[in-house]
Amino acid sequence: MSKTEARASVFFRPPAGRLQRAENSPTTMTLGAAFPCLGARSEPYRWAAAGTARRSVGKGRFMRGVVPTFSAMPDWLAMVLVAAAYCLVNWLGQQALMLELDMDSVVWPQPGFALVAMLLLGWRVWPGLLLGALLSEAWRWRGALDGMHGLSPVLGVALGVLAQTLFGVWLVRRHFGRRNPLDNFSQCVAFCVIVVAMTLIGSLIATTSLCLTHALPQKEWVSRLGLWWLCSSCGTLLFGSVCLNLYHQGWRLPDREVRYEMLAYFGMVALLTAGIFVWWHPTVDTTYPLDMLVLPLVAWAAFRFTTREVLLALLLILWLALWGTRHGGGPYLGYSAYSTLIILQTYIGILTVVSLGVSALVAEQRKVKLELNQQQELLEQQVRIRTLALEQSHAEVLALSRVDPVTGIANRRSFEESLEGEWRRARRLGTSLGMLMIDIDFFKLYNDHYGHVSGDYCLREVAQAIRSSVRRPQDLVARYGGEEIVCLLPDTTSEGVAYVGEAVLDAVRDLQLPHVGSVAAPYVTISIGGANVQPREVADSRQLIEAADREMYRAKQSGRNRIIVAGMDLPEADDA
């Protein structure tokens, strides 16, 4: 393994357990099949490619498919592409961001591109980055080169670019890993400090190499150092943040209402910035610090939108401020070209740092609010689940409290509640209400002879037989007390009460439960008393119970194993 691969393996080493999952993931296996070059030699990059592919595909970014394919490319191709992209970004920066001809650009976008490229693609592209810096600086210093000796300052500047990028990548990876450093305020501040430190180191190396090679007078070293540091730090902070934000958050179109608000916002930013830097031509007496008026608009983007809109607003402000200052407008009119360049760089740097800080702070608050809302929803869901469970448990307990545990039918409490309800309904509708009072014949003798366990069994069988004979859903069979069972029959005439009673009597006889202590029959029998009343004509429901109970005692006195309904004396058939 080469030194480069060894460093890359240390750089891309994931936590324990994650490397094996990444190697076996469908994304990694697909990349390995598509690019045979991803063998043992490029194993350190496989985990990075798989992780990047998962993020790109999972979040639907605008770079979908680009970063994973780029990571899976051969090293030489990746280096060539990085070098070409670095030269292109450098040329575009010189064309669009230069204040005056033959001057440095206000900000340099290429350091930000170099930082993001190495963060996404890994250490393997550093030769391509060095090659791009060499070509860009050679083109920049082409008029001052004098043979091979003139290549020394170009090499020194390129090494400074490479050194600052490597140092910045190491610090970002060490402190943030693969997280977005613009997600919260503390990370954003740390990212700004890292950018300042790395660009300072690169500027020191570059300007010192220019002095040592006599390409820069020593008396201009400090001024050149400050200028290069401002250009590099502002460019890295602004354009590097743009690239990182697009990579981590993508380019999703907002809703239509939000788009209208964004269009209005960018229109206001363009009008205000153009009014300050393009249309305003101050005099000595009208020089005011109006350039800070754009700060509330940037803060508005941080509160209403996302970091993406903040960065786009900063790019728009940068371009309008540069274009207006270049054409003789704005608050910086009257200064020398060098002073104007320094002031404009400082203005863009301060605006970028403050805007990114406010945006990160608002994003952190949104994230905390979202987490709190999710926790609140989770708690509310758990409360609803617990409430439903308690209601279900309460219903089960209530149902158990209304059921007799021995017979499995309704208990007396349930009977009394149903009687009151049916009594009010019958009184309201003018219907009749019937009742059967049932008693098991010689049940005490049954318990004395067979035992209480068999007595409970007999009571349960009789109750179930009675309930199976009462077929209407509104009818109720309940244990009234001891061996007495009551049937409540709403909207039932005397004939209906007698009919139901006969069915109940036959159902109990069909059980053929032996009863040696009974003188009515050799098996268990019952005595039934029936009654029917009109609730509108009777004052109290107790009169119905008393009437049914009175008829039941008449049936017992008449020989048991029979039914007697009030007003209807039905002879009981002989036992089969």
Side-chain angles (χ1 to χ4, degrees):
M1 180 183 295
S2 64
K3 294 183 179 180
T4 303
E5 293 173 348
R7 295 191 190 99
S9 63
V10 174
F11 179 76
F12 283 113
R13 183 176 296 136
R18 290 184 58 183
L19 180 59
Q20 184 177 2
R21 292 196 296 270
E23 290 174 351
N24 298 330
S25 65
T27 304
T28 309
M29 290 186 288
T30 304
L31 292 175
F35 299 95
C37 61
L38 285 179
R41 185 175 61 84
S42 56
E43 186 66 22
Y45 315 121
R46 185 174 300 227
W47 176 77
T52 308
R54 285 195 299 270
R55 289 193 302 273
S56 178
V57 174
K59 294 188 177 181
R61 301 188 179 97
F62 81 107
M63 303 173 72
R64 179 177 297 165
V66 175
V67 175
T69 305
F70 205 7
S71 299
M73 285 183 179
D75 292 351
W76 65 269
L77 183 58
M79 296 174 191
V80 171
L81 291 177
V82 168
Y86 186 92
C87 294
L88 178 62
V89 171
N90 179 70
W91 180 79
L92 291 175
Q94 291 180 357
Q95 297 298 318
L97 301 177
M98 188 176 294
L99 185 61
E100 290 185 4
L101 191 63
D102 296 332
M103 287 188 64
D104 287 313
S105 301
V106 176
V107 292
W108 291 344
Q110 61 270 18
F113 164 77
L115 177 66
V116 175
M118 190 167 289
L119 283 174
L120 300 183
L121 302 177
W123 301 107
R124 60 171 180 157
V125 298
W126 72 265
L129 180 61
L130 180 60
L131 177 61
L134 285 172
L135 294 176
S136 299
E137 295 302 324
W139 176 260
R140 179 183 177 186
W141 293 85
R142 63 187 184 278
L145 293 179
D146 184 16
M148 295 301 297
H149 178 70
L151 293 177
S152 299
V154 173
L155 181 61
V157 174
L159 290 176
V161 172
L162 179 63
Q164 78 173 21
T165 305
L166 294 176
F167 183 64
V169 170
W170 177 74
L171 288 177
V172 170
R173 288 298 187 207
R174 180 180 179 86
H175 292 280
F176 309 125
R178 295 188 176 274
R179 301 190 304 267
N180 185 6
L182 305 178
D183 279 344
N184 59 65
F185 182 74
S186 59
Q187 291 184 359
C188 182
V189 173
F191 179 71
C192 294
V193 173
I194 290 174
V195 169
V196 169
M198 61 175 277
T199 53
L200 181 59
I201 290 177
S203 301
L204 280 172
I205 295 176
T207 54
T208 303
S209 64
L210 291 178
C211 288
L212 293 178
T213 55
H214 305 288
L216 177 69
Q218 293 185 359
K219 62 180 180 179
E220 297 181 5
W221 178 76
V222 176
S223 59
R224 177 65 65 173
L225 173 63
L227 179 63
W228 278 34
W229 175 64
L230 285 175
C231 291
S232 182
S233 59
C234 294
T236 305
L237 194 60
L238 181 56
F239 291 94
S241 299
V242 171
C243 296
L244 285 176
N245 182 262
L246 290 178
Y247 171 72
H248 285 284
Q249 297 184 0
W251 188 273
R252 297 184 182 90
L253 289 178
D255 298 334
R256 179 174 299 180
E257 294 79 5
V258 180
R259 273 182 278 176
Y260 291 153
E261 185 179 356
M262 288 174 56
L263 289 175
Y265 167 74
F266 284 111
M268 292 179 60
V269 171
L271 288 176
L272 181 60
T273 308
I276 295 174
F277 290 94
V278 180
W279 301 324
W280 183 42
H281 298 276
T283 61
V284 178
D285 298 331
T286 60
T287 302
Y288 306 112
L290 298 183
D291 49 353
M292 288 294 121
L293 291 178
V294 300
L295 188 58
L297 287 181
V298 179
W300 179 15
F303 281 99
R304 289 296 301 164
F305 308 116
T306 62
T307 308
R308 178 186 64 185
E309 284 71 35
V310 173
L311 293 171
L312 291 178
L314 289 175
L315 292 177
L316 179 60
I317 293 170
L318 169 63
W319 183 79
L320 288 175
L322 179 60
W323 190 87
T325 305
R326 184 187 302 166
H327 290 80
Y332 309 138
L333 187 63
Y335 296 97
S336 63
Y338 179 80
S339 300
T340 302
L341 179 62
I342 295 295
I343 294 174
L344 193 57
Q345 289 174 337
T346 306
Y347 170 71
I348 295 299
I350 293 175
L351 192 62
T352 302
V353 171
V354 173
S355 302
L356 289 179
V358 174
S359 177
L361 184 61
V362 174
E364 186 177 7
Q365 291 179 350
R366 288 175 181 167
K367 184 178 179 181
V368 172
K369 184 178 180 180
L370 180 61
E371 292 177 353
L372 290 177
N373 291 336
Q374 291 177 350
Q375 292 179 0
Q376 183 178 0
E377 291 178 359
L378 180 61
L379 290 176
E380 291 177 354
Q381 183 179 4
Q382 292 178 350
V383 169
R384 288 194 296 268
I385 294 175
R386 295 291 179 87
T387 302
L388 292 176
L390 289 176
E391 291 178 353
Q392 183 178 2
S393 301
H394 177 71
E396 293 176 355
V397 172
L398 183 61
L400 292 175
S401 67
R402 299 167 63 88
V403 175
D404 180 68
V406 178
T407 60
I409 59 177
N411 56 15
R412 182 164 181 173
R413 173 187 175 185
S414 178
F415 164 72
E416 291 176 350
E417 292 177 356
S418 299
L419 177 60
E420 291 300 322
E422 293 295 339
W423 186 270
R424 290 192 299 269
R425 191 176 70 88
R427 179 184 289 274
R428 184 177 65 255
L429 300 178
T431 58
S432 60
L433 188 61
M435 181 179 293
L436 294 176
M437 186 67 73
I438 306 170
D439 183 77
I440 301 178
D441 297 330
F442 305 107
F443 188 70
K444 184 177 183 304
L445 297 178
Y446 189 94
N447 277 334
D448 293 342
H449 184 272
Y450 295 99
H452 289 282
V453 176
S454 298
D456 291 342
Y457 173 78
C458 172
L459 189 61
R460 182 166 53 254
E461 291 297 317
V462 171
Q464 296 299 324
I466 296 173
R467 185 167 65 177
S468 64
S469 303
V470 181
R471 302 183 182 277
R472 295 191 309 176
Q474 64 267 33
D475 298 338
L476 177 68
V477 178
R479 184 179 182 184
Y480 192 73
E483 67 274 16
E484 293 182 351
I485 298 175
V486 64
C487 294
L488 183 61
L489 308 173
D491 195 13
T492 305
T493 62
S494 298
E495 291 78 8
V497 172
Y499 178 81
V500 176
E502 286 291 343
V504 169
L505 198 64
D506 293 338
V508 175
R509 288 171 182 168
D510 292 340
L511 291 176
Q512 294 292 312
L513 295 176
H515 190 354
V516 298
S518 174
V519 297
Y523 48 82
V524 174
T525 59
I526 57 176
S527 297
I528 305 176
N532 172 270
V533 297
Q534 291 286 339
R536 286 186 176 181
E537 301 174 359
V538 181
D540 195 352
S541 61
R542 288 180 297 179
Q543 297 183 17
L544 177 61
I545 300 175
E546 292 173 355
D549 188 63
R550 184 169 54 250
E551 299 304 322
M552 182 192 68
Y553 276 101
R554 284 183 58 196
K556 294 173 68 174
Q557 292 171 1
S558 300
R560 303 178 189 269
N561 191 19
R562 68 187 65 235
I563 176 175
I564 298 179
V565 180
M568 299 178 57
D569 290 341
L570 300 178
E572 189 268 327
D574 294 335
D575 299 338

